[in-house]
Amino acid sequence: MKNLFRTMPVEEVLARGERGGLNRRLSGVDLIGFGIGIIIGTGVFTLTGIEAKSHAGPAVIVSFVIGGIVAALAAMCYAELASAVPTAGSAYTYAYATLGEVFAWIIGWDLLLEFVLGTAVVARGWSGYLANLLGLPGEWFGETSTVNIGAILIIAVLTVVAVAGIRESSRVTNALVVVKVSVCVLVIVAGLYYFKAANLHPFVPPAQPSESSASVTEQPLVQALLGMGQSVYGVGGILSAAAVVFFAYTGFEALANLGEETKRPKRDLPVGLLGSLILCTVLYIAVALVLIGMVDYRHIDEGAPLAAAFQSVGAPWIAALISLSAVTGLTSVMMVELVTIGRIGFAMSRDGLLPAPLSKVHPRWGTPHRMTIAGAVVIMMFAGFVPLSALADMVSIGALSGFVIVAIAVPVLRRRKPQLARPFRVPLSPWLPILTAVGCLYLMMNLNVMTWLRFGIWLVIGLAVYLIYGRRNARIAQSPQAKTTGAPV
């Protein structure tokens, strides 16, 4: 049993990163572009309206603030670990060096779930937006299609870019980021012209029983455990919305996977992580405020809230620009997620927990092409054939569980390796990392019971794979430096 908790020495992690074969081509500016590219997407284009109408009312702005604060705390924990241990794998690698192999496997398996499902969900959304923008046939591009050809094609095209090189991926992402940030700024400036303060009242609608006849599996876990009836609005609605809109912030952790491809990781990784998150948080809150001010929250269109808001005030040209921005925005999200999947699988394969051929680096392009292509094939199967709206919350629970592990890893690594150089340090450790872990756990508790059940099933499957394959083939088992005395917490 003690082999389940063997840890990888930090020195070995760093050595593997140096001889990993990935090309160091990214700057701090490139990392900020990647961060904005993956963060700004579904959250700003759809979740704002859905959660305002369904759970929080105008106080959805507070939900975004809460989500942003928790994300910022998690980003600081990521920044410390990423600057001290700049390697592919991010939370997976940090857990391997601090908490033990079984925790590393769980979080790696969890991250693959987050990014595979997240990419598939976004691909289907991209296909729908493109159909609306260009009038394409719904039987091939819509949610009612038997095979979503649009979702499959966009993943195939972006996989080619992701395999061709990290620099090429960065250039495509940065170009798309310029488009969608420009449209977000336009939305904020133009929306202020149509802003009506009366739409902000009441800012926190009084709590009321949910009108839906949802079963207990569709209740937030915290309400189900306390035996509370399902309700919306009020403080509970704000927190429920915060747990869902946290999906909008997920993705910044993808930057921590680029440590082996960053020119000056000890400086640029904290800049990319914190810089991109701060900029996106400001944009989210501003867009949410404008949307709520333009339209009464009870009449918000859930399908395309921003575009519909400008249509309703007689500005169809802005609505068209928003649809175009949605297409470009979701494209950049998929681009970064594909890159991230390749790096997480590359790290796990290099350590022997996944088959070794997946860690092969292309001799010309310097990318983990086999893992990237394998991940893309799985994504295309989900995106092409499976409606994933019911599984979207899985992305949030996957990200939040990863943040819990990272927050715990910060004080553990400080205790085990106090002499390790840390260019960025989380202030007030261990109290701030503990607060981060508690905040993430509480947001997880506000996701519904069915999400927790699906998450549990995924973890059970993952543990079975680990016990049958990963534990026996882990390369650390052959390392004389491997620690098998358990992980000190």
Side-chain angles (χ1 to χ4, degrees), residues 21-26 34 87-93 108 111-112 115 158-159 161-170 253-262 335-351 354 358-362 365-373 375:
L22 300 177
N23 294 328
R24 294 190 180 275
R25 296 179 176 177
L26 299 178
F34 266 118
T87 181
S90 68
Y92 155 76
T93 304
L111 288 172
L112 289 176
F115 286 105
L158 294 179
T159 300
V161 180
V163 168
I166 190 64
R167 190 60 186 163
E168 289 70 20
S169 302
S170 175
E253 69 273 23
L255 301 184
N257 288 281
L258 303 177
E260 294 180 31
E261 295 161 277
T262 302
M335 182 79 260
V336 183
E337 288 185 330
L338 279 167
V339 169
T340 303
I341 290 166
R343 275 60 184 175
I344 295 171
F346 166 79
M348 296 177 72
S349 173
R350 182 172 60 184
D351 294 336
L354 289 176
L358 294 176
S359 63
K360 283 284 186 180
V361 175
H362 196 280
W365 298 318
T367 58
H369 59 294
R370 292 182 177 179
M371 183 62 210
T372 304
I373 293 171

Side-chain angles (χ1 to χ4, degrees), residues 226-247:
L226 295 176
M228 301 166 57
Q230 189 172 14
S231 63
V232 295
Y233 306 127
V235 175
I238 293 173
L239 294 174
S240 294
V244 177
V245 301
F246 192 82
F247 174 88

Side-chain angles (χ1 to χ4, degrees), residues 260-438:
E260 294 180 31
E261 295 161 277
T262 302
K263 296 175 183 176
R264 291 172 289 185
K266 293 183 180 296
R267 187 201 72 171
D268 292 341
L269 282 170
V271 169
L273 281 162
L274 297 173
S276 59
L277 186 61
I278 290 170
L279 289 172
C280 291
T281 301
V282 171
L283 283 175
Y284 275 153
I285 294 172
V287 170
L289 178 63
V290 164
L291 174 63
I292 298 300
M294 289 179 64
V295 184
D296 187 303
Y297 72 91
R298 288 160 292 200
H299 303 140
I300 289 176
D301 180 86
E302 295 187 29
L306 284 174
F310 281 97
Q311 287 278 11
S312 67
V313 296
W317 65 276
I318 297 181
L321 279 177
I322 290 171
S323 296
L324 174 62
S325 180
V327 171
T328 58
L330 297 180
T331 302
S332 67
V333 171
M334 290 182 285
M335 182 79 260
V336 183
E337 288 185 330
L338 279 167
V339 169
T340 303
I341 290 166
R343 275 60 184 175
I344 295 171
F346 166 79
M348 296 177 72
S349 173
R350 182 172 60 184
D351 294 336
L353 300 183
L354 289 176
L358 294 176
S359 63
K360 283 284 186 180
V361 175
H362 196 280
R364 176 182 176 185
W365 298 318
T367 58
H369 59 294
R370 292 182 177 179
M371 183 62 210
T372 304
I373 293 171
V377 170
V378 177
I379 293 167
M380 285 190 281
M381 291 174 61
F382 279 114
F385 298 96
V386 182
L388 290 176
S389 57
L391 297 178
D393 286 354
M394 291 289 286
V395 181
S396 283
I397 200 169
L400 286 164
S401 60
F403 295 166
V404 171
I405 296 293
V406 169
I408 295 172
V410 168
V412 171
L413 191 60
R414 284 198 188 185
R415 178 182 172 185
R416 290 193 54 219
K417 288 289 182 180
Q419 77 283 4
L420 187 66
R422 293 172 172 83
F424 179 88
R425 297 176 68 92
V426 178
L428 303 177
S429 181
W431 306 114
L432 205 56
I434 291 173
L435 178 63
T436 302
V438 171

